[in-house]
Amino acid sequence: MPALGESPEGTIEILNIVPLQGPGGIVAPSCEAAISLAVEEINQGAGILGREIRTTNIDGGRPPHEVAAEVSALLATGMVHAITGWHTSAVRRAVARAGASRVPYLYATSHEGLTDELPGVLMLGEHPAGQTVPAVHWLEREYGVRRWAIIGNDYIWPRQSAKAIRDSLADPAAIVLEQFVPLGLPDFSGFLTHPALDLADAVVILMVGADVSRFNQQFAATGRAAAQLRVSPAADENVLLAAGPEANRNLYVASSFFLDDSTPDGRDRLTRYRRRYGAFAPALTSFSNATYDAIHTLGALARTAGSLEVPAVLDAVDQGVVLETPGGLRSFRGNQAIQNGYLARADGVGFDIVDRIA
């Protein structure tokens, strides 16, 4: 950002919140590279509202109140025009309160689907009803899964997603084991040795980043991977790579986006990314792509609304705006982006899309 007191009139300043530490820190290099690519692409054109854009990355891996305090201090300068990011919902809710609807806030992570967001918070990530819940019912239909175990980190997104799953089941007693554990837990033996886990046909993993990798390694080491399926909305190629191919057997992942280089859009995006960063760059993954899309969606919203003022943005959304972005057309229902849902099977350290689920 410019030095305090410098006129911001020549630029659009965006705060981007990505975890640089903790379990979510595994995705940071990919996200930062994808964000930089989006910024370059926009600035090579007309910028946003005819102005160059610049981003400042905020470490979203700290406690929510610390992230919110830094965001609040930066907003107080009057030089911040928008917030984007990939981070936990606990951080989102703290930042939204600190932001008090002063600037648009585009949240790119899958979320818990609550309806009490402050004005200006737009949910680009997946709603449980369009991602996790359909994935659970797909496994019921395709594999006859009847009994479930759930393990999640202990904060709002995993708990609310687990509730959405429970409410969707014909028999809530089909969940035979449910545990919520701290972020960064090193040892999952309390869950993996629980007698009720033997009753489950499949496990839903509602954890973050490196926690998912570590859990999958320990799960596979028990020998359970051959007999019990796993499904998660929170794994990308970085998570698979960190766990290793053997830990990803019979793992299914639900997402609105998988980078498929067999499609023209996927090939083109990968080509641009590799041209910019080279063959050994952090992988462009479903999570980092979400941050890339958030920057481009912000630009499309500004073009349509003619402003980044929250009332103008919300008015455009309320009128059913359809945005043109590199990933295709995007629209909203309320504050939620409408998007497709897909289910993929982990194939080593990559994904094989098996079906469209929503």
Side-chain angles (χ1 to χ4, degrees):
M1 293 184 64
L4 193 63
E6 181 181 334
S7 170
E9 289 303 314
T11 60
I12 295 290
E13 302 287 345
I14 303 167
L15 296 184
N16 184 68
I17 306 172
V18 171
L20 304 180
Q21 59 185 291
I26 193 173
V27 308
S30 293
C31 288
E32 290 183 339
I35 290 161
S36 294
L37 178 63
V39 169
E40 287 185 10
E41 290 174 347
I42 290 172
N43 284 339
Q44 286 170 1
I48 291 180
L49 302 176
R51 295 155 67 179
E52 180 183 59
I53 64 171
R54 295 194 291 188
T55 58
T56 297
N57 288 333
I58 302 297
D59 180 8
R62 296 169 294 166
H65 72 276
E66 292 185 15
V67 183
E70 182 174 4
V71 170
S72 182
L74 290 170
L75 286 171
T77 68
M79 296 162 58
V80 174
H81 301 88
I83 303 171
T84 64
W86 189 99
H87 47 272
T88 69
S89 54
V91 168
R92 183 193 77 243
R93 293 178 78 80
V95 168
R97 288 192 294 270
S101 305
R102 283 177 280 181
V103 298
Y105 183 3
L106 276 61
Y107 185 66
T109 320
S110 59
H111 59 92
E112 64 280 359
L114 297 180
T115 57
D116 61 346
E117 298 296 336
L118 291 173
V121 180
L122 298 179
M123 313 299 272
L124 305 187
E126 298 90 345
H127 188 289
Q131 180 195 42
T132 311
V133 170
V136 163
H137 292 297
W138 188 94
L139 290 173
E140 286 182 326
R141 292 192 307 271
E142 298 297 322
Y143 287 101
V145 173
R146 292 294 174 264
R147 291 171 296 186
W148 295 90
I150 297 176
I151 183 166
N153 290 127
D154 191 7
Y155 70 98
I156 187 171
W157 166 68
R159 286 189 173 276
Q160 288 297 321
S161 295
K163 180 180 183 299
I165 293 169
R166 189 183 312 111
D167 291 347
S168 77
L169 295 172
D171 178 11
I175 298 177
V176 298
L177 176 61
E178 186 174 333
Q179 284 188 7
F180 297 95
V181 300
L183 287 160
L185 183 72
D187 183 1
F188 297 98
S189 58
F191 179 85
L192 294 171
T193 61
H194 196 291
L197 183 57
D198 293 335
L199 303 176
D201 302 309
V203 179
V204 182
I205 306 168
L206 300 171
M207 293 191 288
V208 175
D211 284 4
V212 181
S213 300
R214 193 162 50 252
F215 175 81
N216 283 334
Q217 289 173 327
Q218 294 176 29
F219 183 90
T222 68
R224 292 181 177 276
Q228 290 175 308
L229 303 176
R230 284 159 292 159
V231 63
S232 177
D236 72 347
E237 292 84 348
N238 286 315
V239 170
L240 299 188
L241 185 63
E246 294 303 315
N248 302 324
R249 182 181 179 188
N250 281 329
L251 172 65
Y252 289 81
V253 175
S255 177
S256 64
F257 176 86
F258 293 98
L259 192 64
D260 184 353
D261 62 8
S262 68
T263 65
D265 175 65
R267 285 195 301 272
D268 183 57
R269 198 171 305 194
L270 277 170
T271 297
R272 297 197 307 273
Y273 186 83
R274 289 168 180 163
R275 184 186 302 123
R276 173 62 179 81
Y277 296 110
F280 297 102
L284 180 60
T285 71
S286 53
F287 291 165
S288 59
N289 181 77
T291 62
Y292 170 92
D293 277 346
I295 300 293
H296 275 289
T297 300
L298 180 70
L301 273 170
R303 287 194 300 272
T304 301
S307 170
L308 278 177
E309 297 294 326
V310 169
V313 168
L314 293 182
D315 185 57
V317 170
D318 289 343
Q319 291 184 32
V321 61
V322 178
L323 305 174
E324 292 187 18
T325 72
L329 299 179
R330 165 163 274 170
S331 58
F332 290 83
R333 182 178 295 114
N335 71 337
Q336 172 66 52
I338 300 171
Q339 52 206 336
N340 296 323
Y342 301 94
L343 191 67
R345 181 190 297 111
D347 180 11
V349 294
F351 290 109
D352 179 20
I353 298 173
V354 294
D355 208 348
R356 179 172 171 173
I357 57 173

